């Protein structure tokens, strides 16, 4: 597939260095030729395929036999009236907010801790980072057991008189009705959040540590001279300086959380009453298990949209800010 | 001074407590995987095994070995190809910029963030069409294509740190696009290759969505097989934990031995364009 285009044999007149006009030399053509296959691939496999999915989402293809006749917004309208999809949207929202919130607080806290020049710092750092090397599937399988209502952490908690059903719990905290669903925090989601936090906090720690290391010592020195306590230095100076990193962490965690699939698929599945279902799982099941391709495509397009809302402004602004 | 000592102690206590939280799953995984089945009971879950029983590893290995090798056949070529492609793209987009290069780069970058669900249906149709559906080469192709954004980004950032003067003087000496890449950029980018390779290796090894939708049974990579293991009727937790450990081992080893580069990749993956 990786066919490298040969350079068009232009007149190979070597442009003298003195003429600094933007004249394309053979080398420029070569450079463009080497980039072309990737650009073509990305345009087909990302943009072209997104377009095709969008087209499928507007079709009647809801069986094994492809039927691309135009259905209008039927599939989307169906989804927004669908109990399962409404529950998915609630779950995604709750999951994203809890997950990002905890990752940011914990990531910042651990990074600041590691920045205190403790002995054995590298050991602690390695311990906080290592889950990043694991697959969401492994995390899911292990935490599925740890948070199993009859085993795992519960045996431990029972000694303290606590008893939880974790991801099998169907309770929804502080609920009110919105559409067909109970809107609130499904307790079962908290179990998944714990596993996700365990896996992804290392990322935030790494980013915050890099940020902390980039703050020149003079900044702290100057504040100390002015009589600020260590706590004040963090609260008033360091943490505000870390804000751009927080933005990056939010963006990265949000796009992971909005499209999450494997962790939930491996750990809980949709759950009773869809308390732990997310669009990623629904899309997979409806498309590849139920053969409702058009419905699946519509879910995928909504997922894409939710990610794009975060990513597109970020990409545009980081391009302006960068180079 | 005394107060400082106390607060230091307090910090250690928090660090140790958090470390225990992070290590808890590993402890349970290890302990459970070496227990005989009759000891894998609710009450004994946290206890150390009375005897070491490696049979769960035998069972897990017998079940997962073919898929383990599938993953190896997948991850090695996919990593090498996508690193090579990323290096060339990064080189062009950092040292041979043309008008619109930054726009093209941003458009490529977007591909890194899309939920793959949004390209999955056409992708499967396409792979069926060209006869690569349910094959390891098909998966290699997919990972190379969707690896372009991240590898390009990483190499572009890496190459941006190499001074332009070096390229300019090489040009004056008569070196062209390919010679500069071969004799200047490549030797300077060993670290870049290590970082990108580790990143791609880890991601491709751990990937699940493509694997589960593009392959079936005998072609499945290890993560799908592990998931199937836990989906089976009788839940043998010791076998499952042994399986999880087997599936996690390659990336864990990479992390243990090349952790520095791993974290660098982590940071490079967080867009700085």
């Amino acid at each position: 597939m990786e066919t490298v285009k040969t350079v068009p044999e232009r007149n190979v007149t070597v442009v003298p260095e003195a003429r600094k006009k933007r004249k394309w030399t053979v080398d420029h053509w070569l450079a463009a030729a080497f980039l072309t296959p990737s650009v073509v691939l990305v345009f087909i496999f990302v943009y072209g395929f997104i377009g095709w999915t969008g087209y499928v989402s507007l079709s009647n293809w809801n069986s094994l036999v492809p039927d691309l006749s135009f259905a209008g917004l039927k599939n989307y309208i169906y989804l927004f009236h669908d109990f399962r999809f409404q529950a998915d949207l609630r779950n995604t929202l709750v999951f994203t907010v809890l997950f990002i919130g905890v990752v940011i607080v914990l990531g910042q806290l651990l990074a600041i801790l590691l920045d205190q020049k403790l002995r054995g710092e590298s050991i602690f750092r390695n311990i906080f980072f290592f889950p990043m090397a694991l697959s969401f599937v492994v995390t899911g399988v292990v935490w599925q057991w740890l948070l199993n209502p009859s085993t795992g952490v519960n045996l431990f908690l029972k000694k303290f008189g606590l008893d939880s059903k974790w991801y099998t719990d169907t309770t929804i905290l502080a609920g009110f009705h919105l559409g067909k669903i109970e809107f609130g925090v499904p307790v079962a989601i908290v179990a998944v959040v714990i596993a996700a936090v365990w896996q992804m906090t290392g990322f935030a720690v790494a980013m915050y540590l890099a940020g902390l290391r980039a703050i020149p010592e003079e900044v702290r020195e100057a504040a100390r001279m002015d009589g600020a306590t260590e706590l004040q230095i963090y609260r008033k100076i360091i943490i505000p300086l870390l804000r751009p990193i927080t933005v990056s962490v939010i963006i990265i965690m949000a796009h992971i959380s909005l499209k999450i699939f494997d962790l939930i698929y491996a750990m809980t599945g949709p759950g009773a009453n869809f308390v732990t279902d997310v669009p990623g799982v629904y899309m997979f099941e409806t498309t590849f298990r139920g053969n409702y391709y058009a419905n699946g495509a519509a879910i995928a397009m909504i997922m894409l949209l939710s990610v794009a809302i975060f990513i597109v402004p970020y990409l545009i602004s980081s391009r302006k800010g960068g180079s | 001074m005394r107060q400082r000592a106390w607060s230091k102690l307090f910090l250690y206590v928090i660090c140790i407590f958090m470390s225990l939280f992070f290590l808890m799953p590993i402890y349970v995984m290890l302990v459970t995987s070496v227990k005989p089945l009759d000891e894998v009971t609710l009450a004994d879950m946290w206890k150390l095994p009375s005897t070491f029983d490696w049979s769960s590893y035998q069972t897990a290995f017998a079940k997962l070995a073919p898929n383990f090798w599938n993953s190896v056949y997948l991850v090695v070529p996919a990593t090498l190809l996508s690193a090579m492609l990323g290096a060339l793209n990064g080189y062009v987009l950092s040292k041979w910029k043309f008008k619109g290069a930054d726009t093209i780069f941003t458009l490529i970058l977007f591909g890194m963030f899309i939920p793959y669900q949004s390209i999955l249906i056409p992708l499967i149709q396409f792979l069926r069409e060209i006869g690569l559906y349910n094959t390891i080469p098909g998966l290699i192709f997919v990972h190379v294509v969707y690896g372009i954004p991240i590898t390009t980004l990483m190499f572009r950032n890496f190459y941006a740190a190499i001074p332009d003067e070096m390229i300019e003087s090489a040009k004056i000496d008569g070196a062209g696009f390919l010679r500069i890449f071969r004799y200047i950029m490549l030797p300077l980018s060993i670290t870049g290759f290590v970082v990108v390779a580790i990143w791609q290796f880890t991601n491709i090894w751990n990937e699940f969505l493509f694997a589960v939708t593009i392959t079936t049974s005998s072609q499945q990579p290890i993560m799908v097989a592990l998931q199937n293991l836990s989906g089976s009727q009788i839940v043998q937790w010791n076998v499952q934990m042994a399986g999880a450990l087997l599936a996690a081992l390659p990336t864990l080893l990479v992390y243990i031995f090349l952790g520095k580069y791993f974290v660098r990749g982590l940071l490079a993956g967080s867009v700085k364009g």
Side-chain angles (χ1 to χ4, degrees), chain A residues 1-2 17 20 22 24-25 27-28 30-32 34-35 38-39 41-43 45-47 49-50 52-53 56 61 106 109-110 113-114 116-119 124-138 141-146 148 150-153 155-156 194 197-198 201-203 206-207 210 251-252 255 259 261-262 265-266 280 283-284 287-289 293 296-297 300-301 303-304 307-308 311-312 314-316 318-319 322-323, chain B residues 4 8 11-12 14-16 18-26 28-29 32 40-46 81 85 88-89 92-93 96-99 102-104 106-126 128 141 144-146 148-149 152 156 168 171-172 175-178 199 202 205-209 212-213 223 226-227 230 237 240-241 244-245 247-248 251-252 255 262-263 266-267 269-271 273:
Chain A
M1 206 47 210
E2 255 79 57
E17 264 303 307
K20 268 270 176 172
R22 268 197 180 265
W24 274 41
T25 61
D27 286 329
H28 280 101
L30 257 177
F34 272 100
L35 187 65
S38 292
V39 174
L41 284 173
V42 168
F43 271 79
F45 283 84
V46 174
Y47 295 96
F49 278 12
I50 286 173
W52 184 250
T53 306
V56 172
W61 184 9
L106 202 60
L109 184 86
L110 292 178
L113 271 176
L114 289 178
Q116 302 305 309
K117 302 181 180 73
L118 299 179
R119 212 171 295 171
F124 288 127
R125 204 177 49 211
N126 288 334
I127 291 174
F128 299 151
F129 287 166
F130 86 87
M132 283 297 308
L134 300 181
S135 159
F136 266 130
V137 176
V138 171
V141 168
V142 176
W143 279 93
Q144 182 191 24
W145 196 34
L146 275 169
N148 191 305
S150 56
T151 59
V153 178
L155 291 176
F156 204 64
I194 292 173
V197 162
W198 178 79
T201 299
F203 199 110
M207 289 197 62
I251 301 288
I252 289 159
H255 100 270
K259 62 192 189 191
F261 163 68
D262 24 13
Y265 189 74
M283 188 275 169
F284 175 78
T287 313
F288 302 109
R289 298 286 177 261
Y293 283 85
M301 290 310 285
M303 289 174 73
L304 177 72
V307 171
I311 293 304
V312 171
Y314 181 67
L315 282 181
I316 290 170
S318 74
R319 222 196 97 190
S323 53
Chain B
R4 270 189 79 87
K8 263 266 151 75
L11 295 181
Y12 278 112
I14 304 179
C15 270
I16 290 168
M18 287 312 297
S19 300
L20 290 179
F21 168 71
F22 275 89
L23 288 174
M24 173 177 70
I26 294 292
V28 174
M29 208 157 117
T32 310
V40 188
T41 54
L42 312 186
D44 296 333
M45 153 152 199
W46 296 93
L81 283 172
L85 208 55
L88 279 167
N89 293 342
V92 174
L93 288 170
W96 293 89
K97 279 196 179 180
F98 47 90
K99 216 170 156 232
D102 284 339
T103 308
I104 287 192
T106 308
L107 287 172
I108 291 177
L109 219 51
F110 180 66
M112 190 169 121
F113 295 102
I114 57 162
Y116 291 133
Q117 282 88 351
S118 65
I119 46 91
L120 213 44
I121 294 170
L123 181 67
I124 287 171
Q125 285 184 284
F126 171 81
R128 282 220 169 91
F141 175 78
V144 171
V145 169
Y146 292 102
I148 289 173
T152 302
R156 182 183 175 268
E168 290 306 324
K171 276 188 203 167
I172 291 168
F177 176 83
L178 283 174
W199 178 264
T202 311
W205 186 274
N206 289 342
E207 203 278 335
F208 183 68
L209 181 62
V212 77
T213 46
M223 287 308 156
L226 174 66
Q227 160 63 23
S230 69
W237 285 107
Q240 254 194 64
M241 292 299 129
L245 212 66
T251 52
L252 271 181
Y255 174 70
F262 179 84
V263 175
L266 214 71
L267 294 171
S270 50
V271 204

Side-chain angles (χ1 to χ4, degrees), chain A residues 219-231:
Chain A
V219 174
R220 296 164 197 253
E221 284 303 325
R224 273 186 209 117
M225 296 282 264
D226 291 341
T229 65
E230 288 302 304
L231 211 64

Side-chain angles (χ1 to χ4, degrees), chain A residues 18 47 60 72 148 161 171 185 193 204 225 234 256 262-263 280 285 300 315:
Chain A
Y47 295 96
N60 284 310
N148 191 305
T171 326
V185 178
V193 169
M225 296 282 264
Y234 274 103
I256 290 172
D262 24 13
L263 176 68
E285 290 188 344
L315 282 181

Side-chain angles (χ1 to χ4, degrees), chain B residues 66-103:
Chain B
N67 309 94
F68 187 93
W69 289 112
N70 283 345
S71 279
V72 173
Y73 300 141
L74 159 68
V75 78
V76 173
T79 300
L80 293 178
L81 283 172
S82 66
M84 241 359 257
L85 208 55
L88 279 167
N89 293 342
Y91 171 50
V92 174
L93 288 170
S94 64
K95 298 299 177 217
W96 293 89
K97 279 196 179 180
F98 47 90
K99 216 170 156 232
D102 284 339
T103 308

Side-chain angles (χ1 to χ4, degrees), chain B:
Chain B
M1 220 46 227
R2 255 187 94 118
Q3 207 192 344
R4 270 189 79 87
W6 278 113
S7 63
K8 263 266 151 75
L9 185 71
F10 179 65
L11 295 181
Y12 278 112
V13 170
I14 304 179
C15 270
I16 290 168
F17 178 79
M18 287 312 297
S19 300
L20 290 179
F21 168 71
F22 275 89
L23 288 174
M24 173 177 70
I26 294 292
Y27 167 78
V28 174
M29 208 157 117
L30 279 173
V31 164
T32 310
S33 67
V34 293
K35 276 179 188 172
L37 188 60
D38 59 323
E39 266 183 58
V40 188
T41 54
L42 312 186
D44 296 333
M45 153 152 199
W46 296 93
K47 288 185 188 148
L48 287 166
S50 60
T51 51
F52 282 96
D53 181 347
W54 299 99
S55 67
S56 54
Y57 279 94
Q58 274 170 12
T59 317
F61 196 75
K63 279 186 180 158
L64 296 180
N67 309 94
F68 187 93
W69 289 112
N70 283 345
S71 279
V72 173
Y73 300 141
L74 159 68
V75 78
V76 173
T79 300
L80 293 178
L81 283 172
S82 66
M84 241 359 257
L85 208 55
L88 279 167
N89 293 342
Y91 171 50
V92 174
L93 288 170
S94 64
K95 298 299 177 217
W96 293 89
K97 279 196 179 180
F98 47 90
K99 216 170 156 232
D102 284 339
T103 308
I104 287 192
F105 176 62
T106 308
L107 287 172
I108 291 177
L109 219 51
F110 180 66
M112 190 169 121
F113 295 102
I114 57 162
Y116 291 133
Q117 282 88 351
S118 65
I119 46 91
L120 213 44
I121 294 170
L123 181 67
I124 287 171
Q125 285 184 284
F126 171 81
L127 289 176
R128 282 220 169 91
E129 208 67 41
I130 63 167
L132 284 182
Y133 179 73
N134 195 19
T135 63
I136 301 291
L139 263 188
I140 293 172
F141 175 78
V142 168
H143 281 293
V144 171
V145 169
Y146 292 102
I148 289 173
I150 181 82
T151 56
T152 302
L153 166 77
M154 288 169 118
F155 273 111
R156 182 183 175 268
N157 287 348
F158 189 83
Y159 287 149
I162 294 174
D164 286 342
E165 290 80 51
M166 229 162 170
I167 313 298
E168 290 306 324
S169 61
K171 276 188 203 167
I172 291 168
D173 291 344
F177 176 83
L178 283 174
R179 282 179 74 90
I180 294 173
F181 184 67
R182 169 72 187 79
Y183 293 104
I184 299 179
M185 302 307 264
L186 272 187
L188 286 174
S189 53
I190 307 291
T191 330
F193 269 97
V194 173
V195 170
V196 171
I198 287 176
W199 178 264
Q200 282 300 86
F201 177 89
T202 311
N203 274 348
I204 298 170
W205 186 274
N206 289 342
E207 203 278 335
F208 183 68
L209 181 62
F210 285 141
V212 77
T213 46
I214 289 169
T215 57
T216 54
S217 57
S218 69
Q219 300 297 310
Q220 282 167 346
I222 188 140
M223 287 308 156
V224 185
L226 174 66
Q227 160 63 23
N228 290 344
L229 199 64
S230 69
S232 52
Q233 309 287 330
I234 315 138
V235 185
Q236 288 177 293
W237 285 107
N238 51 349
V239 175
Q240 254 194 64
M241 292 299 129
L245 212 66
L246 275 178
L249 208 57
T251 52
L252 271 181
L253 287 178
V254 163
Y255 174 70
I256 289 167
F257 290 111
L258 298 162
K260 192 174 73 180
Y261 301 102
F262 179 84
V263 175
R264 223 183 276 178
L266 214 71
L267 294 171
S270 50
V271 204
K272 286 173 289 170

